Amino acid sequence: MFKSVFRAVCTAILTGLIITAPPAVTQAQTEPNLTITHPRLDAPVILSRTDLTALPQTEYVTTTIWTEGPQRFSGVSLHDLMSHLKIEAELLEFKAINDYSITVPVSEIGQDNPMIAYARNDEPMSLREKGPFWLVYNYDADPAFRTETVYSRSIWQLDRITAR
């Protein structure tokens, strides 16, 4: 008798949990964001992929040491993004979802390089594909972009930028 009552109570509890549990939110259901902070900003700026597509666009086809064959990257040049946000800084710290971080002196940022890419080969990048955002240089455009320093700055799974 005790076993049957225990089973009935457990079944009722589990049924209640299943019925009342909120639906799982998957990565596909939420748009990734890029958070940008600076001491002069009142609050962090949070930009979605859609927000980034509304800014002036940069695109280039280049090869990387992490992918096979030429890849078409689409995004926003870092220069244009900082200009749009009216952020002046000496250093930019970039952090990935896994907390990997790199620092880039603003003096080494060009008009078109690097870019914050949000698409590769015309498709949004998943985490598995080094997305949602990837700091990419046009590696084929200049030998200066094929150095250990530049490769180490090519941070993927980017989700935070702090201006200093």
Side-chain angles (χ1 to χ4, degrees):
M1 166 108 173
F2 178 76
K3 282 186 178 179
S4 62
V5 170
F6 180 74
R7 229 180 262 142
V9 169
C10 287
T11 301
I13 290 170
L14 288 174
T15 302
L17 288 175
I18 292 170
I19 291 172
T20 60
V25 176
T26 65
Q27 183 182 358
Q29 293 171 319
T30 61
E31 188 171 24
N33 292 318
L34 179 64
T35 302
I36 303 166
T37 58
H38 186 279
R40 291 188 206 137
L41 295 174
D42 293 334
V45 175
I46 300 172
L47 300 172
S48 68
R49 181 180 286 130
T50 302
D51 295 330
L52 292 174
T53 62
L55 298 175
Q57 298 301 289
T58 297
E59 182 176 283
Y60 32 77
V61 176
T62 191
T63 56
T64 81
I65 61 173
W66 308 279
T67 57
E68 294 203 20
Q71 306 289 308
R72 177 185 309 281
F73 290 97
S74 304
V76 176
S77 80
L78 187 55
H79 177 271
D80 287 349
L81 178 61
M82 294 298 112
S83 293
H84 172 76
L85 296 174
K86 297 178 176 56
I87 290 178
E88 293 182 15
E90 291 183 26
L91 296 172
L92 295 176
E93 180 184 22
F94 298 83
K95 281 199 175 182
I97 291 168
N98 67 358
D99 286 332
Y100 173 79
S101 67
I102 55 105
T103 302
V104 176
V106 171
S107 62
E108 295 180 22
I109 296 171
Q111 184 70 35
D112 297 320
N113 280 285
M115 83 159 82
I116 302 207
Y118 52 75
R120 186 174 71 176
N121 300 325
D122 301 319
E123 295 292 327
M125 295 177 288
S126 68
L127 283 175
R128 184 168 281 200
E129 297 165 330
K130 302 189 178 359
F133 306 108
W134 185 356
L135 190 68
V136 177
Y137 292 76
N138 190 351
Y139 308 101
D140 296 341
D142 188 330
F145 297 144
R146 295 188 298 273
T147 65
E148 288 300 315
T149 299
V150 170
Y151 291 145
S152 71
R153 291 177 179 169
S154 301
I155 184 171
W156 53 77
Q157 296 180 341
L158 176 64
D159 74 341
R160 292 165 279 170
I161 302 173
T162 301
R164 300 189 192 286

